[in-house]
Amino acid sequence: MFNRPVVFVIGAGASADYDMPLGGTLASTIAEDVNFRFRGNSRSEPIRGDNILYELLVSKFNKDGAQLDSYVAAGHKLAAAISSAASVDDALYQLSEFPEAIQLGKACIIRSILKAERNSALKFSPDTGRLPDSAGKDGWIEQVLSIAIAGLRHAQFPEAFKKVTFVNFNYDRCLEHYLFWSFQRLGLSADEATKIVDGLTIIRPYGTVGSVLDGRLDHVPFGDGSRLDVFNMLDRIRTFTESDALHDKEQLERLLSEAFMCVFLGFGFHKQNLDLLARSKNLQKTEVPRILATIYKVHDGNLPALTTALADRLRVNNPRIELLPMKAPELLQELRLRLTLVLG
C-alpha cells in the first residue's frame, strides 16, 4: 500500500502500452480525416477525408453554406500545417488565428481518442460487454494497482489510493476504465468500484473526453462508437497551446510539495508541459525528496538538459533525479521493492 504521498505524472508513452496513439500517429490520422476532397463542385460526400466527420459538419452548418465551406477550408489548412509540425498541438498553434481550424482539430482529437479506446488493448469483450480479466495485465496501471492493494483486505480497498495523485496529460480514460473493471475482478461490486474511481485524485491539465462512470453528467462510455456531436464537447479538452489549462494550479503545486516521490511514466517532457508542473521559485530546492522518470528511447545527449529542466521546474537538487531507460511497466516492476520500502 502507498502510505506516503506519491505523484504519478502520466504521458502518452504510458498509454501507448495499451495501443493508444502517440503524437505522430494521432497527427497523421487527423490530417487524413480533415483533408476533404470532392468530385467537382459537389459537397454531397467527400471522396477523401472522414465521411462521418463531414456529416457532422453538414448537420451543424447545412443551412449556412459559407460556414460549411469555411470548415472545409480549415480542414485543408490543418492538414497542411500537420505535414510540417511535430504534433497536432503545434499545428493548432500555427493556426491559432483560425477558430474553425482549432475547433475542427479538437473535434478530431475527441473522435480519435474514442476510436483508439475502442480498438485498444483495454477494449470491451464483444461477448460479455466487459473488460476481459486478462486485458492490460502487463501494463503500468496493473503494476500500480498491485502495489496499492498489497497488504490490504477487501474492506480496505477504498483506502488504496488515498495517498496517490495522478497528473494525467492524456485525453484517454485508460486509468479510470482499467481500475473500475479491475476492482470488480477482485470481488468488489460495480457500486464499490465506482466509489473508488470517483474518489481518485486525478489532475488533468488538458481535460478528457468525459467520465467513464455511468450516471455522471459528462459520461461517455469507454470507446463510445456512437455518432456523438463532438462539437458540443470541445470545452472538455485543451491543447497545450491554449493558456487556460483545466486544473487547479495551486492544488497541483501543493500535492507536488507534499509528495515523497514523483514518478514520471511515459512522459515526453515538452517544455509547455514541464512549465505546467513548475513550482514556485520562492521554494527552496530538495523539498520533493526523489524523482524517477522513464526516458525510453531518449538520446543520452538530451539527459543533462532534461535533468536541469526537471530540477528547475520542481525545485529539486539534481542528485535526487533519476532518469531510467525503461518503459513504464518495467520501471514499476523492477523497482517495486524500492517503491514499497520508500512509500509503503
Side-chain angles (χ1 to χ4, degrees):
M1 181 180 178
F2 294 108
N3 288 312
R4 290 176 171 174
V6 57
V7 174
F8 290 99
V9 182
I10 312 303
S15 285
D17 289 340
Y18 300 109
D19 301 327
M20 299 299 293
L22 291 171
T25 303
L26 179 64
S28 61
T29 299
I30 290 176
E32 292 176 3
D33 287 347
V34 301
N35 198 16
F36 300 113
R37 291 291 185 270
F38 304 87
R39 287 189 177 88
N41 295 323
S42 172
R43 285 289 190 268
S44 59
E45 182 177 337
I47 58 175
R48 191 167 72 187
D50 187 274
N51 284 340
I52 296 176
L53 177 62
Y54 184 68
E55 288 176 12
L56 287 172
L57 290 171
V58 170
S59 65
K60 197 170 186 65
F61 304 114
N62 192 38
K63 295 181 180 180
D64 188 340
Q67 186 78 333
L68 178 59
D69 286 345
S70 70
Y71 276 89
V72 170
H76 296 161
K77 288 186 177 70
L78 181 55
I82 287 174
S83 68
S84 294
S87 68
V88 176
D89 297 284
D90 285 330
L92 291 175
Y93 181 75
Q94 294 176 22
L95 300 173
S96 56
E97 297 175 347
F98 301 94
E100 293 89 352
I102 303 300
Q103 293 172 27
L104 195 59
K106 292 173 70 172
C108 285
I109 289 172
I110 293 172
R111 295 185 70 249
S112 296
I113 292 300
L114 290 172
K115 182 179 179 181
E117 288 180 349
R118 193 159 61 249
N119 296 319
S120 74
L122 301 183
K123 60 180 177 292
F124 288 115
S125 166
D127 298 324
T128 64
R130 299 170 58 91
L131 181 68
D133 289 349
S134 61
K137 291 299 288 293
D138 295 329
W140 72 269
I141 307 173
E142 174 63 27
Q143 304 305 318
V144 172
L145 171 63
S146 178
I147 297 172
I149 64 174
L152 298 181
R153 298 185 298 274
H154 270 214
Q156 297 173 303
F157 281 178
E159 306 298 315
F161 288 96
K162 292 299 183 183
K163 298 288 187 179
V164 179
T165 296
F166 297 99
V167 183
N168 195 343
F169 281 82
N170 302 325
Y171 301 115
D172 66 73
R173 290 85 50 79
C174 290
L175 173 62
E176 300 95 314
H177 173 69
Y178 186 84
L179 291 179
F180 174 73
W181 290 104
S182 292
F183 276 115
Q184 292 179 74
R185 166 172 54 82
L186 294 170
L188 300 189
S189 69
D191 286 343
E192 290 170 326
T194 294
K195 288 180 181 178
I196 292 175
V197 173
D198 217 14
L200 294 172
T201 302
I202 304 179
I203 296 174
R204 287 183 172 274
Y206 299 135
T208 184
V209 299
S211 173
V212 296
L213 300 176
D214 195 11
R216 304 304 182 268
L217 290 176
D218 63 343
H219 172 58
V220 178
F222 188 83
D224 192 338
S226 61
R227 297 194 178 192
L228 296 171
D229 184 355
V230 291
F231 287 95
N232 285 331
M233 301 166 62
L234 300 185
D235 287 342
R236 298 184 182 185
I237 69 169
R238 297 287 186 271
T239 64
F240 75 65
T241 55
E242 293 178 290
S243 59
D244 51 341
L246 295 172
H247 71 285
D248 185 331
K249 295 180 181 179
E250 292 183 1
Q251 179 198 26
L252 175 56
E253 181 164 343
R254 176 178 59 79
L255 291 168
L256 287 169
S257 297
E258 294 173 352
F260 270 70
M261 184 176 287
C262 184
V263 184
F264 287 78
L265 300 175
F267 195 67
F269 304 104
H270 192 285
K271 180 181 181 300
Q272 177 79 9
N273 294 341
L274 284 173
D275 289 344
L276 289 176
L277 296 170
R279 300 169 66 225
S280 173
K281 290 186 179 292
N282 295 325
L283 296 172
Q284 294 295 318
K285 286 192 174 182
T286 76
E287 291 190 36
V288 177
R290 183 68 66 184
I291 293 176
L292 301 179
T294 61
I295 51 166
Y296 182 69
K297 290 189 175 181
V298 176
H299 192 278
D300 289 350
N302 296 306
L303 302 189
L306 176 53
T307 300
T308 299
L310 284 170
D312 288 345
R313 301 311 197 284
L314 295 177
R315 312 303 298 159
V316 180
N317 285 330
N318 288 19
R320 294 178 176 270
I321 299 172
E322 293 183 60
L323 307 179
L324 302 163
M326 303 174 174
K327 288 187 175 182
E330 183 184 4
L331 181 148
L332 295 167
Q333 289 171 344
E334 297 295 331
L335 301 187
R336 180 185 177 115
L337 176 60
R338 177 179 173 185
L339 293 171
T340 302
L341 292 173
V342 173
L343 299 170

